[in-house]
Amino acid sequence: MMRAVLIASVALAGCTPALADHHVEAVSAAVPAAQLPPLYAAEVERARSFVDGMMAQGVVVPVPSDPGGGFTHEQHKRNYRAIYLAGQLYSVTGEAKYRDYVRDMLLAYAELYPTLGDHPAKANQNVGRLFWQVLNDAVWLVHSIQGYGDIRDTLTASERQHIDHQVFRRAAHFLSVESEATFDRIHNHATWATAGVGMTGYLLDDTDMVDRALLGSDKSGETGFLRQTELLFSPDGYYTEGPYYQRYALMPFMVFADSIAKNDPARRIFEHRDGILLKALQTTIQLTYGGYFFPFNDAIRDKSLNTDELYHGVAIAYAETRDPGLLAIADWQDRTILTEDGLALSRDLAGGKARAFPFRSLLLSDGPDGDRGAVAILRHGDGPNHTALVAKNASQGMGHGHFDKLSWQLYDNGNEIVRDYGAARFLNIVAKAGGRYLPENESWAKQTIAHNALVVDETSHFGGDRRLADTSVPTQLYFSDAQDLQVTSARIDSAYPEKSITMLRTLALLDVDGLDAPIIVDVLKASGEGDHRFDLPLHYSGHIMETGFEVARNLAGRPVLGTDDGYQHIWVDGAASPSGDTGFLTWILDGRFYTYRFVPQLGGEVILGESGANDPDFNLRREPLVIQRVDGHSSAHFVSLLESHGLYDGAAEQTVGSRSQIASLRHEVANGYDLVIVETKSGRRTALAMSYSDDPAQTHTAMIDGREVRWTGFAARIALD
């Protein structure tokens, strides 16, 4: 039976001093509801609805017992949200009931917290007190200290002392002293911990606590919040664990920075390291499509800009910059925060000052010095249906990284077309391993074959060894966002060190004469010592319409592709050996057709499959993939393209352009150059010529169909007709 203590506010009357009739002078700044801008007014009502509902249940502070998703876990999460929002509501409205609720809740925690030891549901994470992992305790502190700050000055001296010492000083000590190993990490868990401890220090006027938060437990500056801003972000504001964790870490970075700016403005925190935190906020938004984060590494796919971290980040950044593009993001979110920053944002949004956020093509370096690879984003068009290609040429991403060097994703028409699996996890769903990462996160989601990345000998990059992977990064060779040819290219020669495999991948958005939209060209070259099996998967969204090749189907039963490194999770639907111009398949998604076309290689094979094999607990999503396979060679040269075309309107029973408009795809090698020739069915030909030269002024020449072509630089688009 679950053990819990349900503490109602009336139960505290006998053990706490009576509260004097305090009416906060500071609340004189409160604005009448009728004068609040619509976004802010809606936020006030949303907060009222939640907090009033919590107040109706009384103060419920259970003895911790459950992992993520369980009753006690979720109740303590609701509690810190209620403390935070009720404090804000008191500041905004001046209604004493909200102050009283925060007071009573924290007095209940003052009775509980001193009795706690290690959480009983501790697992392989650093253990917490209120929660199964210390991270959640830090999140509790970041929220609760803000709510407390809104009402602390209205309490009696004895109430303040009781809450200060029995709740917040104990919580800060637990995070910064008892959990020193976590506190001094360069990691998002430490960001939350340092933020909570630092904000507590400012509120309690404890300089020692603030210094430990800013400079690490030994105050040397080798760890701590300031060092995290220097080591966790690249100069472009990219967070090494990827967009999902960048979003998560952003809240403590921005909220604590805002506290630093208000309490210690001389530090000029938002100017630190060339304004890195404001860059990081902008970069976080750029790492989205349709509001959703690119889901590489350990990402929960349904996370979007509609998240509490970004409500705070956008409001705080807007207060610092007055960037009208951030107003457009707030308008999309339709949310803000109940602070002065949120009020200023809401007023300017209501005043018509918003401008479209400038989503664009860009290269984001990885690593604190910008030399640990990169993430390239190539965008074409505007609005929610634009095209976005994402090339992940970044570092491993620490413990949350996947073995997916030189992988890529594609978005078009408002959808994810070429997919990344993200994490195998059902966050906070008790039935799924208590909401923790599932075993399949290791056996499938992290493995190379689960990504759009080259696999050699059915073995994941770095043998699936994270420590080895952390030592090596791709080299970003080239990036261009030119109007008719956007290109990203990268190389890595350390993913298979024992095999001496070198991989070079170039991805391009290429304008082709005669087509309405650019195509994606993918050229991947791999070579090594000895003979190998090369597998290049493509994970796509949609339903197959046709293939250019005959498929030997497995109708009676589906075999499994392999035994390890993710191959054990792939069912094989069929296989084929295309030749000539038969190397293509077309699928449909959301009324749009997509044709994946590739140059067949001698002795090559195509495998059509689906994820979900060897999954007894139904933990994996069933998603299709196609694999190009080359066996028994020392090198392989994969040349592919992806074309979007046509439309299907089921309501009108209308189909237009369901067949590819491309007649052929050819690849030639001349003078060490790669030449990709695309011919449309109307007979027009366009070439992508690649010299791989880092000299933008150098001229290159080659012969295509008896015609000499010239270009300069790394790559060029050449119209042949």
Side-chain angles (χ1 to χ4, degrees):
M1 178 180 294
M2 180 190 69
R3 191 167 60 94
V5 177
L6 305 184
I7 307 177
S9 58
V10 294
L12 297 169
C15 63
T16 59
L19 180 66
D21 187 17
H22 293 290
H23 292 285
V24 190
E25 303 295 328
V27 178
S28 62
V31 179
Q35 297 178 25
L36 292 174
L39 184 65
Y40 198 81
E43 204 64 50
V44 169
E45 292 309 307
R46 185 179 287 108
R48 277 189 188 276
S49 176
F50 173 74
V51 175
D52 288 354
M54 290 288 289
M55 291 170 61
Q57 299 173 22
V59 174
V60 181
V61 180
V63 175
S65 62
D66 300 314
F71 167 73
T72 65
H73 181 96
E74 294 304 312
Q75 183 63 36
H76 288 298
K77 284 175 59 180
R78 286 189 290 269
N79 285 353
Y80 72 62
R81 184 179 173 214
I83 292 168
Y84 172 70
L85 290 175
Q88 290 183 328
L89 284 171
Y90 179 59
S91 293
V92 172
T93 69
E95 295 180 35
K97 66 177 182 179
Y98 295 120
R99 173 202 57 202
D100 295 348
Y101 179 66
V102 175
R103 175 203 64 197
D104 293 348
M105 181 78 80
L106 291 175
L107 288 172
Y109 273 104
E111 299 305 309
L112 174 68
Y113 202 92
T115 71
L116 300 179
D118 286 355
H119 193 284
K122 63 183 179 181
N124 61 340
Q125 301 285 348
N126 294 314
V127 63
R129 291 286 187 268
L130 293 168
F131 300 91
W132 68 279
Q133 63 171 341
V134 69
L135 168 64
N136 299 91
D137 281 64
V139 176
W140 185 95
L141 182 57
V142 168
H143 286 82
S144 298
I145 195 63
Q146 293 180 81
Y148 183 43
D150 288 326
I151 66 111
R152 184 174 181 270
D153 288 346
T154 74
L155 303 182
T156 66
S158 59
E159 287 170 340
R160 283 197 300 273
Q161 183 180 31
H162 192 53
I163 293 171
D164 287 355
H165 288 275
Q166 299 305 317
V167 181
F168 290 106
R169 288 193 181 276
R170 284 181 179 271
H173 186 270
F174 169 65
L175 290 174
S176 62
V177 178
E178 296 176 64
S179 305
E180 182 180 300
T182 296
F183 189 76
D184 284 341
R185 291 180 71 187
I186 303 299
H187 191 271
N188 77 77
H189 290 201
T191 308
W192 281 97
T194 55
V197 171
M199 293 166 71
T200 301
Y202 279 130
L203 183 63
L204 303 186
D205 197 22
D206 188 321
T207 302
D208 175 69
M209 203 180 287
V210 171
D211 288 346
R212 278 186 284 133
L214 293 174
L215 303 172
S217 60
D218 64 0
K219 303 181 185 178
S220 69
E222 292 300 309
T223 61
F225 183 80
L226 295 178
R227 192 60 172 155
Q228 290 169 21
T229 68
E230 294 159 1
L231 295 182
L232 285 177
F233 293 107
S234 78
D236 296 317
Y238 176 74
Y239 184 75
T240 193
E241 291 184 284
Y244 175 81
Y245 279 92
Q246 176 150 343
R247 174 272 321 166
Y248 186 64
L250 196 66
M251 181 174 172
F253 272 118
M254 296 298 288
V255 169
F256 188 27
D258 192 47
S259 181
I260 295 168
K262 289 178 169 59
N263 287 279
D264 190 4
R267 282 192 179 274
R268 306 174 74 89
I269 186 63
F270 284 111
E271 297 176 27
H272 180 65
R273 200 187 165 203
D274 195 27
I276 191 62
L277 293 179
L278 296 176
K279 281 185 182 179
L281 184 279
Q282 292 277 339
T283 294
T284 305
I285 298 170
Q286 291 284 358
L287 287 163
T288 64
Y289 181 88
Y292 286 84
F293 296 103
F294 301 140
F296 51 75
N297 290 345
D298 278 343
I300 306 300
R301 296 176 53 84
D302 54 5
K303 280 292 184 181
S304 72
L305 293 171
N306 265 57
T307 183
D308 197 41
E309 297 87 356
L310 268 297
Y311 306 149
H312 285 79
V314 168
I316 292 168
Y318 182 73
E320 289 293 323
T321 65
R322 291 301 192 266
D323 179 351
L326 295 176
L327 294 178
I329 298 300
D331 189 39
W332 185 90
Q333 294 171 318
D334 198 27
R335 295 291 303 276
T336 191
I337 56 176
L338 296 180
T339 65
E340 292 180 1
D341 294 342
L343 183 59
L345 177 148
S346 301
R347 282 173 172 158
D348 286 354
L349 181 61
K353 296 183 179 181
R355 299 293 181 270
F357 185 84
F359 288 102
R360 57 190 176 87
S361 298
L362 74 167
L363 183 70
L364 299 170
S365 63
D366 190 8
D369 297 318
D371 58 358
R372 303 277 297 167
V375 172
I377 305 172
L378 308 180
R379 297 187 191 266
H380 172 81
D382 299 310
N385 294 331
H386 77 278
T387 301
L389 184 157
V390 185
K392 185 174 181 282
N393 304 324
S395 67
Q396 180 66 16
M398 300 193 290
H400 288 297
H402 289 190
F403 301 101
D404 58 350
K405 294 295 170 270
L406 311 190
S407 185
W408 70 292
Q409 301 161 245
L410 180 72
Y411 297 82
D412 181 65
N413 195 37
N415 298 296
E416 186 181 21
I417 309 304
V418 176
R419 299 175 60 87
D420 190 290
Y421 191 88
R425 183 184 189 186
F426 294 84
L427 184 62
N428 286 342
I429 297 180
V430 176
K432 291 296 187 181
R436 303 184 181 102
Y437 288 103
L438 298 164
E440 289 77 12
N441 199 56
E442 300 295 326
S443 63
W444 169 251
K446 286 189 175 183
Q447 301 299 325
T448 306
I449 193 64
H451 302 85
N452 306 299
L454 183 67
V455 187
V456 179
D457 296 332
E458 300 189 13
T459 303
S460 287
H461 298 166
F462 307 103
D465 185 336
R466 180 183 69 83
R467 289 171 296 180
L468 179 60
D470 281 337
T471 66
S472 300
V473 296
T475 299
Q476 182 72 33
L477 300 174
Y478 182 72
F479 176 84
S480 173
D481 58 357
Q483 184 173 356
D484 59 353
L485 176 62
Q486 299 189 58
V487 180
T488 175
S489 184
R491 181 185 65 237
I492 188 168
D493 57 11
S494 55
Y496 293 99
E498 74 286 356
K499 304 176 191 293
S500 300
I501 300 291
T502 295
M503 297 184 288
L504 189 156
R505 191 170 208 172
T506 304
L507 290 152
L509 281 178
L510 173 69
D511 281 3
V512 171
D513 289 339
L515 299 184
D516 294 333
I519 63 170
I520 290 80
V521 176
D522 176 16
V523 178
L524 194 157
K525 302 194 294 184
S527 61
E529 298 176 357
D531 292 339
H532 301 283
R533 168 172 287 177
F534 298 92
D535 287 337
L536 183 61
L538 185 88
H539 298 262
Y540 63 92
S541 303
H543 191 98
I544 290 178
M545 294 291 98
E546 65 174 337
T547 64
F549 42 84
E550 290 293 328
V551 180
R553 295 293 308 277
N554 297 314
L555 299 177
R558 296 196 290 181
V560 177
L561 187 56
T563 60
D564 209 347
D565 285 43
Y567 281 75
Q568 74 274 23
H569 291 301
I570 298 174
W571 278 310
V572 178
D573 288 318
S577 299
S579 61
D581 292 328
T582 67
F584 73 87
L585 71 156
T586 299
W587 66 83
I588 188 172
L589 179 68
D590 194 19
R592 187 82 165 149
F593 296 93
Y594 297 89
T595 295
Y596 181 55
R597 188 178 298 272
F598 48 88
V599 177
Q601 300 185 63
L602 184 64
E605 183 183 16
V606 173
I607 299 167
L608 300 180
E610 185 180 50
S611 60
N614 289 305
D615 180 24
D617 296 321
F618 305 100
N619 287 335
L620 293 175
R621 299 188 302 271
R622 275 47 173 165
E623 296 177 349
L625 72 157
V626 55
I627 300 172
Q628 296 183 61
R629 169 170 285 182
V630 175
D631 218 350
H633 292 271
S634 62
S635 64
H637 213 143
F638 296 95
V639 178
S640 318
L641 67 78
L642 188 61
E643 169 198 8
S644 63
H645 55 93
L647 63 88
Y648 172 71
D649 185 337
E653 300 182 3
Q654 181 181 30
T655 303
V656 177
S658 63
R659 294 286 175 81
S660 169
Q661 296 302 300
I662 294 176
S664 69
L665 171 68
R666 289 190 291 138
H667 170 240
E668 297 179 5
V669 177
N671 303 327
Y673 305 144
D674 277 310
L675 307 170
V676 179
I677 302 100
V678 180
E679 183 174 356
T680 66
K681 290 181 177 177
S682 64
R684 305 182 75 174
R685 295 178 303 154
T686 305
L688 172 61
M690 290 167 285
S691 69
Y692 305 105
S693 170
D694 57 6
D695 183 353
Q698 184 178 353
T699 299
H700 310 280
T701 62
M703 300 296 292
I704 298 178
D705 297 337
R707 170 186 168 183
E708 184 180 78
V709 295
R710 292 176 175 268
W711 73 98
T712 58
F714 189 96
R717 172 190 179 276
I718 302 172
L720 298 175
D721 298 293

